Amino acid sequence: MSLLAVDNLSISIGNVTLLDGITFSVDKGKVLGIVGESGSGKSLTALSVMGLLPLSRGRIRSGSVIFDGIDLTGLREADYRKLRGNRIAFIAQNPMTSLDPVISVGDQIDQVLRLHLKMTRKAARQRSIELLSQLRIPEAAEVCKLYPHQLSGGMKQRIVIAMALAADPDLIIADEPTTALDVTVQAQIIELLVQLVRQRDMALMLITHDMGVIAQACDDVVVLYAGRVAESNEVGAIFRQQNHPYTQALIGCIPRAGMAPGSLKGIPGSVPSVSSYASGCRFHPRCPAAADVCRTQTPQITKTADGGHVACHFSAGVQG
Ligand code: SF4
């Protein structure tokens, strides 16, 4: 049984369907990437697993989110609070949204340990120093005494990762955890996070817009477009063969060594807003392979011959 299994999850606000039939799962010790452009529904998917949907009138229309045998869609807020930070941890894009500027970083990690693991002050500080050392922060005991503004962006994100790891959660959801960082530290942070997740047999749901990060870190990937799954598969398979034109386009956007100047491809147009989703296949206004049927009929998710799933009327990879 998967640690987290999201099945046919649909979320709507009024008549607008924000997420439509999202399905994926992640096992312990594995990294699942959720990829797509801004507006594809990645963060909303993460927030729905965390029970933090910012929708006053929004609701889960159908589907289930099963975490370790518990259906989170029916959970009371008080029970959700016991899971968050304890069994399910969240790493946000911008470390400053997770750190308190007036509390030293050591005290902030200590607080997680004391709250969730009931550690004494002394044991918590010892553990905080160990965590920072595992995250390759030199002179960790001294760093614990510093305040967020005294640290670089990369160091701050390591502190946030330490806070997420502190309570030994089963699942970490990381929403673009390196977007706010310099490219030079992005790869290091992702590598460290993935290494620690695998060592501790946790599961990681990694939200990103970057197929390069997917290739570097993930076992499986779900490609989202305009609130629907376009394609999902094991990462190696998806880089060998893309069954959906959107996945193909995303991979075409990755710069490669030796590329001729001007040969990097973009995807024409942009992800539509929720109020202007196209009929039929939501990708059809940007799809080079669109035909009449794409404008009127929604492609259903179908199993592919290489073990994945795709939603496209004309996918060559669909199982016969
Ligand atoms: Fe393109 Fe049609 Fe496939 Fe949509 S269903 S991705 S428009 S070919």
Side-chain angles (χ1 to χ4, degrees):
M1 187 179 70
S2 297
L3 178 69
L4 174 73
V6 172
D7 185 33
N8 202 24
L9 181 70
S10 295
I11 291 174
S12 59
I13 182 162
N15 290 332
V16 181
T17 305
L18 306 177
L19 294 183
D20 189 9
I22 305 293
T23 297
F24 61 83
S25 63
V26 57
D27 297 330
K28 282 188 167 198
K30 296 285 182 188
V31 181
L32 171 75
I34 310 270
V35 71
E37 295 161 281
S38 297
S40 58
K42 311 182 298 288
S43 295
L44 203 57
T45 304
L47 292 174
S48 57
V49 174
M50 292 292 294
L52 293 173
L53 284 173
L55 310 168
S56 51
R57 289 173 297 120
R59 63 187 179 92
I60 292 181
R61 206 181 62 203
S62 63
S64 59
V65 179
I66 310 287
F67 170 74
D68 204 12
I70 309 164
D71 188 350
L72 301 184
T73 56
L75 213 59
R76 291 177 313 143
E77 177 54 26
D79 294 322
Y80 236 128
R81 256 186 253 130
K82 289 180 198 154
L83 288 180
R84 278 191 224 115
N86 195 359
R87 299 198 61 201
I88 305 177
F90 187 67
I91 300 172
Q93 255 179 50
N94 182 348
M96 282 316 290
T97 58
S98 310
L99 294 173
D100 189 326
V102 296
I103 301 178
S104 72
V105 294
D107 281 352
Q108 295 189 55
I109 308 169
D110 294 355
Q111 278 175 6
V112 178
L113 292 159
R114 296 183 68 204
L115 178 72
H116 292 290
L117 302 183
K118 311 291 175 219
M119 282 187 172
T120 63
R121 195 178 288 272
K122 195 174 164 198
R125 178 48 55 98
Q126 189 53 43
R127 183 79 188 111
S128 296
I129 293 170
E130 278 169 26
L131 277 166
L132 293 192
S133 303
Q134 283 171 9
L135 284 158
R136 298 187 204 148
I137 293 183
E139 300 184 47
E142 290 307 307
V143 170
C144 277
K145 296 175 195 159
L146 300 178
Y147 290 82
H149 74 274
Q150 296 174 291
L151 300 173
S152 67
M155 288 281 262
K156 281 197 274 270
Q157 195 57 302
R158 283 172 211 239
I159 303 295
V160 172
I161 292 173
M163 286 168 69
L165 291 169
D168 254 330
D170 300 291
L171 171 68
I172 296 185
I173 299 175
D175 189 359
E176 309 256 11
T178 57
T179 300
L181 304 179
D182 290 345
V183 279
T184 47
V185 289
Q186 284 184 5
Q188 282 174 20
I189 299 265
I190 292 283
E191 189 193 322
L192 258 177
L193 177 61
V194 170
Q195 205 180 67
L196 289 170
V197 160
R198 293 200 198 280
Q199 274 169 10
R200 292 158 172 245
D201 204 27
M202 296 169 176
L204 173 63
M205 205 173 124
L206 184 59
I207 314 283
T208 180
H209 61 270
D210 185 343
M211 279 308 253
V213 169
I214 297 289
Q216 179 198 357
C218 300
D219 299 294
D220 298 291
V221 60
V222 178
V223 181
L224 291 187
Y225 185 80
R228 288 182 181 153
V229 174
E231 178 168 9
S232 62
N233 210 337
E234 186 261 315
V235 165
I238 231 160
F239 276 87
R240 276 192 298 278
Q241 181 185 321
Q242 300 88 50
N243 292 314
H244 196 285
Y246 183 54
T247 318
Q248 221 164 43
L250 284 178
I251 289 180
C253 294
I254 303 175
R256 290 178 191 84
M259 276 181 120
S263 62
L264 188 62
K265 290 183 203 149
I267 309 175
S270 55
V271 180
S273 66
V274 290
S275 56
S276 55
Y277 282 155
S279 56
C281 172
R282 288 177 177 173
F283 187 56
H284 84 248
R286 304 173 74 190
C287 180
D292 284 349
V293 63
C294 307
R295 294 179 186 92
T296 53
Q297 288 181 33
T298 303
Q300 300 305 306
I301 285 274
T302 319
K303 209 166 176 3
T304 57
D306 59 1
H309 291 85
V310 67
C312 173
H313 292 304
F314 298 105
S315 174
V318 170
Q319 216 168 31

